[in-house]
Amino acid sequence: MDVMGDMATLFETGRFAQPSAPGATGDEATEATEAADQAAEEVRQRLAAEAGDVEAMSVLGAMLLRRGDLDGAEPQLRAATAAGDRAAANNLGVLLHQRGYADEAAGWWRIAAVAGSAAAAHALGRHFRERGDEPAAEYWLRQSAEQGHVLGAYALADLLEHRGAEGAERWMRAAAERGHREAAYRLARVLDRRAVRDADADNGVGPAGARTEATAPAAREASDAGDAGDAGDAGDAGDAGDAAEAEQWYRQAAARGHRRAALHLGAILERRGELKEAGRWYLTSAKDGEARAACALGFLLRDAGDPESAAVWWLRAAQDGDGNAANALGALHAERGETQTAERWYRAAMDAGDDNGAYNLGLLCAEQQRTAQAEQWYRRAAYAGHREAANALAILLLQGGDRTGAEPWFSKAAEAGSVDAAFNLGILHAGRGEERAALRWYERAAAAGHTEAALQVGMALLRDGDEQEAERHLRCAAGGGSAEAAYRLADLLDARRPPVPAHELGEPTHERTECEEWYERAASQGHRRAQVRVGMLAAGRGDVVEAARWYREAAEAGSRNGAFNLGLLLAREGSEPEAVVWWRRAADAGHGRAALRLALVYARRGELAEGQRWADRAVTSGPEEVAERAARLRDALLEELSA
């Protein structure tokens, strides 16, 4: 008999498998039947042992040891050991170890191990490791592992990994393949981290594992506080083989009840969009007491439109010390206007060691115009290394007129990876006329995907005449939703295209070009100059209704060019009175051509004094060509009035 030396699996042997009682129903009946069978088996083994059966002595000793009857087990095990039963020697070592006689236990384990007991070799290896004798530990654990002992393989892998020696992954895999759930989980972590490292190397990114702070309350995390390195990122990128294999091992460990494996598996599935299955694994992990899984499940429920159920799981996680869940509860109450409750949960997050708690407290105070308190909380989070808090603190100082105090915090946040802080530094340098320094920060922010920074870089490149690079940055900014970038990109493309022949009635209109599509995108976002340009293009195609619509939108938003062009369109359509209304609006905003048009209208009507007044306004507003024409008209009207 070869009984395991690890107490968790000490009696895993076929000798103790009992047949089920036929016809029994219910837990109590089953337990009673099993107890009766065990008692009968113990009697049989005791009778055989008293008759001198060595194997029965060993089995009886193991049964008594399992029951905790050390005094009854010891003589049976010693007798069997003396007769050469190696399993009894192993179990005698376990018994002595429980009594506190570690050295004597090791002696018996050595005897059993030399006799070929893999379980004893495992126990002996663990004994030496506890004593700090790692070479001896490795020797005996390797003996156990090479005999196929799953616990020996896992313990050897753990030792080799601790020492940074080769072979750790091989033995971890061997243990995992034999059903060791912790080995399956740890093997998945190794593959997971390697996949992320490979992805970072391919993308030119530094070492994996750097934490990214949230830029909004209740940021989500799926890190593993008990694990080294990056957490829960398999499946995003990296070596597809490692990522896929990591998922398989997470799944095996989770299926065997490993709650952290279930958490990571849920995270992988969530990123892949398989939310239903992700939720099942989060639920499994959360029910087993994994606070981070409860927190993640809360976010899934919130995103599915069930904030009440989400709050239940966040509360459970927060009460177990999860700062991220406390932040989520704070954000939920803040959205409801329950600021006192929100503040209480943000403080709980902070007490749990989550810097986002202090940052979110700063945001809450800033929204309530409690500037001094906001600065206090931002500083606390910023000093703890929270980059977005450093950026928020810098903005707060800048708003208070403290440029000198703001700049170091912007720099600290930007160096830590805050894209917004890099952009803000660009604005700061640009405001001082330090264009090169500003461009460097704009380029850094643009490289990280900041839309407005890409726009600024594109505009700077346009000024320098580098149209190709300017176009690339403008496309990035326009694709990110910047109306100004869309307009400038359209303007750049428009300048390159050949002149379009005038539209003749009866001819088909020309197809829309890419520049027109960008003009329209900017116009649909409310960009007034783009709206005027789209109106002009529509007018050029002969589409008066579309042109009028865009001119009107621009004019009503305050565009004087839009108002002037709308007036021209209305006048050509015979609606001069309405045209005058829009020209007046444009002229009042300083549009010289609109003022000249008004002067001509009033002169034609015979209202000479009013015509002279608008002509004088046109002279003042310009441009030069308009001013010259308006001056001649004004002088003519003055002469007519004097006659």
Side-chain angles (χ1 to χ4, degrees):
M1 181 180 72
D2 200 4
V3 182
M4 301 295 184
D6 186 283
M7 282 299 296
T9 53
L10 181 62
F11 301 101
E12 289 181 1
T13 169
R15 294 190 181 187
F16 300 106
Q18 301 295 330
S20 58
T25 58
D27 292 341
E28 292 183 2
T30 302
E31 290 175 5
T33 302
E34 289 178 354
D37 288 343
Q38 288 172 5
E41 174 66 17
E42 184 177 331
V43 169
R44 285 193 295 272
Q45 295 295 342
R46 189 177 294 278
L47 291 173
E50 289 173 355
D53 188 321
V54 173
E55 184 176 342
M57 295 176 193
S58 180
V59 172
L60 178 60
M63 292 177 73
L64 295 170
L65 179 59
R66 177 176 60 182
R67 200 168 66 206
D69 184 359
L70 304 187
D71 290 337
E74 186 170 350
Q76 299 293 339
L77 293 175
R78 285 190 181 277
T81 299
D85 190 300
R86 70 180 189 186
N90 177 41
N91 285 341
L92 179 58
V94 173
L95 185 148
L96 292 168
H97 190 271
Q98 288 186 34
R99 288 187 181 278
Y101 303 128
D103 291 336
E104 188 179 353
W108 290 111
W109 280 331
R110 184 185 294 274
I111 290 171
V114 169
S117 171
H122 164 247
L124 188 59
R126 290 185 60 178
H127 167 79
F128 280 118
R129 187 172 183 188
E130 288 170 3
R131 293 294 186 275
D133 188 349
E134 291 190 356
E138 181 180 347
Y139 173 81
W140 287 110
L141 290 175
R142 193 175 294 277
Q143 294 295 316
S144 175
E146 288 177 348
Q147 291 179 64
H149 193 281
V150 62
L151 295 177
Y154 175 72
L156 177 60
D158 184 67
L159 176 62
L160 294 174
E161 186 177 85
H162 170 73
R163 297 171 66 184
E166 292 183 5
E169 184 176 337
R170 170 199 165 194
W171 289 110
M172 196 70 75
R173 187 181 297 277
E177 288 171 348
R178 292 182 175 92
H180 195 291
R181 72 176 190 182
E182 185 66 24
Y185 171 71
R186 289 180 62 176
L187 177 60
R189 300 295 300 125
V190 169
L191 296 166
D192 195 337
R193 289 192 290 268
R194 189 159 65 211
V196 174
R197 279 198 303 271
D198 290 346
D200 289 342
D202 291 342
N203 296 327
V205 180
R211 180 182 171 201
T212 302
E213 289 87 353
T215 56
R220 301 179 69 165
E221 288 183 52
S223 60
D224 215 342
D227 296 333
D230 197 51
D233 289 329
D236 278 344
D239 185 88
D242 284 341
E245 189 181 1
E247 181 181 343
Q248 291 174 4
W249 288 115
Y250 279 137
R251 193 175 292 277
Q252 288 196 31
R256 293 188 175 99
H258 197 292
R259 68 187 193 187
R260 282 182 292 170
L263 167 68
H264 285 279
L265 179 58
I268 291 170
L269 293 166
E270 182 183 358
R271 280 192 295 274
R272 206 158 61 213
E274 299 174 24
L275 302 184
K276 190 172 181 179
E277 189 180 359
R280 286 201 300 269
W281 286 113
Y282 282 149
L283 180 61
T284 299
S285 181
K287 284 182 175 179
D288 285 342
E290 182 59 58
R292 289 162 299 166
C295 181
L297 181 59
F299 280 109
L300 272 189
L301 291 166
R302 182 202 64 181
D303 294 345
D306 189 359
E308 297 305 321
S309 297
V312 171
W313 288 104
W314 283 334
L315 178 61
R316 182 169 175 172
Q319 288 173 338
D320 286 340
D322 190 285
N324 200 33
N327 269 318
L329 283 172
L332 186 65
H333 287 289
E335 289 170 4
R336 295 171 177 172
E338 301 164 354
T339 54
Q340 288 186 335
T341 307
E343 185 169 337
R344 179 167 63 85
W345 282 113
Y346 287 149
R347 287 179 183 273
M350 188 171 58
D351 293 341
D354 193 324
D355 299 334
N356 283 317
Y359 172 55
N360 289 337
L361 275 171
L363 291 175
L364 191 67
C365 292
E367 288 173 2
Q368 298 172 341
Q369 305 300 315
R370 294 154 59 192
T371 306
Q373 289 174 291
E375 181 179 339
Q376 170 194 345
W377 293 118
Y378 284 151
R379 281 189 185 277
R380 178 164 178 167
Y383 277 121
H386 194 295
R387 65 190 187 193
E388 297 307 330
N391 181 56
L393 174 60
I395 292 173
L396 201 65
L397 294 171
L398 196 61
Q399 290 171 342
D402 187 1
R403 286 178 171 267
T404 304
E407 187 171 351
W409 285 111
F410 276 137
S411 296
K412 185 174 182 178
E415 292 296 346
S418 171
V419 180
D420 289 333
F423 177 67
N424 290 335
L425 271 175
I427 294 174
L428 205 63
H429 285 290
R432 294 201 295 250
E434 299 165 359
E435 298 298 333
R436 288 191 176 182
L439 183 58
R440 283 199 303 272
W441 286 111
Y442 285 146
E443 287 175 336
R444 184 165 177 171
H450 196 287
T451 298
E452 292 303 313
L455 170 62
Q456 294 298 324
V457 174
M459 291 167 59
L461 291 167
L462 277 179
R463 287 193 297 269
D464 293 342
D466 189 348
E467 288 191 1
Q468 187 173 356
E469 276 299 295
E471 180 183 342
R472 183 173 69 84
H473 281 88
L474 290 175
R475 284 187 183 277
C476 290
S482 169
E484 181 66 25
Y487 172 75
R488 290 180 179 272
L489 175 60
D491 193 50
L492 179 63
L493 297 172
D494 199 5
R496 293 176 184 170
R497 65 175 182 165
V500 179
H503 175 73
E504 297 291 340
L505 291 176
E507 289 184 358
T509 57
H510 67 278
E511 294 182 1
R512 289 193 312 157
T513 61
E514 185 187 5
C515 74
E516 290 179 70
E517 292 174 359
W518 286 113
Y519 276 136
E520 287 188 11
R521 182 180 293 194
S524 65
Q525 292 176 257
H527 195 286
R528 295 183 302 181
R529 285 179 294 169
Q531 288 170 340
V532 172
R533 186 61 184 159
V534 171
M536 293 171 65
L537 291 168
R541 293 194 301 269
D543 191 344
V544 177
V545 174
E546 185 73 1
R549 181 174 75 86
W550 286 112
Y551 287 152
R552 191 178 297 276
E553 278 201 36
E556 289 175 348
S559 168
R560 61 186 190 180
N561 284 330
F564 174 69
N565 286 1
L566 180 58
L568 287 178
L569 202 64
L570 291 167
R572 289 170 189 164
E573 295 297 311
S575 302
E576 187 176 270
E578 190 180 355
V580 167
V581 172
W582 290 106
W583 282 334
R584 187 185 296 275
R585 182 180 290 193
D588 286 340
H591 198 288
R593 294 183 188 278
L596 179 57
R597 287 278 177 174
L598 287 171
L600 291 168
V601 168
Y602 285 112
R604 190 166 60 252
R605 291 177 181 177
E607 299 177 30
L608 304 184
E610 188 68 6
Q612 183 188 1
R613 186 171 73 83
W614 284 111
D616 193 51
R617 180 81 68 86
V619 170
T620 305
S621 301
E624 185 178 348
E625 175 193 348
V626 171
E628 290 176 359
R629 291 177 59 196
R632 290 197 296 271
L633 177 60
R634 179 191 59 187
D635 294 343
L637 291 173
L638 182 61
E639 184 178 338
E640 186 70 22
L641 284 169
S642 302

